[in-house]
Amino acid sequence: MQFNIKSINDIRTTNVNSIVDILGVVTNISSVCTIRRKDGSEVSKQTIQLQDMSGYNINAIFWGDNFNAVSQEISSLCATGNNPIIAIKSARVGEFNGKNIITTTRSIILVDPDIEEAYTLKSWFKKEGSTAASTSLTTRSPFGHQ
């Protein structure tokens, strides 16, 4: 699978509704919640905060049941103190309380993908990234801080 990865820094100037590929380390994860749509149907939602070497972080919003298995895998890794690397292919750039990344039915999410950029990011995070300051592109988050 080929990725055309944009850094989180580049998302700042990317047009809303653009489709992007993104790679980040999970630094925070919300609980799955259920949202009632205007039509009365319900959909699951989970927010994951991603950080990369650009000095920025962004919220990635997983919508729908398509991502339940991936969400469980990410949650399990985070619960054991690991910070998995997530690659999202074909995510949509959104803007609600700042910029965010939104999964669609076409999105593909890989946890700890076997690509060079993921190994580089993992190494950076272990050496310095876990304590490096980052600026959030999302101004309000479900994680209790801004």
Side-chain angles (χ1 to χ4, degrees), residues 31-82:
S31 299
V32 176
C33 64
T34 302
I35 305 292
R36 184 174 303 278
R37 295 178 173 162
K38 291 178 185 178
D39 68 3
S41 65
E42 293 183 344
V43 64
S44 60
K45 173 187 172 189
Q46 184 171 38
T47 303
I48 295 177
Q49 187 177 63
L50 299 175
Q51 179 179 337
D52 67 11
M53 295 182 285
S54 71
Y56 287 88
N57 67 67
I58 194 168
N59 287 353
I61 302 168
F62 291 10
W63 285 105
D65 296 331
N66 301 357
F67 306 111
N68 283 345
V70 171
S71 293
Q72 289 175 2
E73 181 180 3
I74 294 167
S75 294
S76 294
L77 288 167
C78 289
T80 61
N82 292 309

Side-chain angles (χ1 to χ4, degrees), residues 11 14-18 20 91-95 99-102:
I11 301 297
T14 301
N15 291 332
V16 172
N17 293 324
S18 295
V20 298
R92 183 172 55 84
V93 175
E95 190 166 39
K99 291 277 180 95
N100 55 39
I101 296 296
I102 304 163

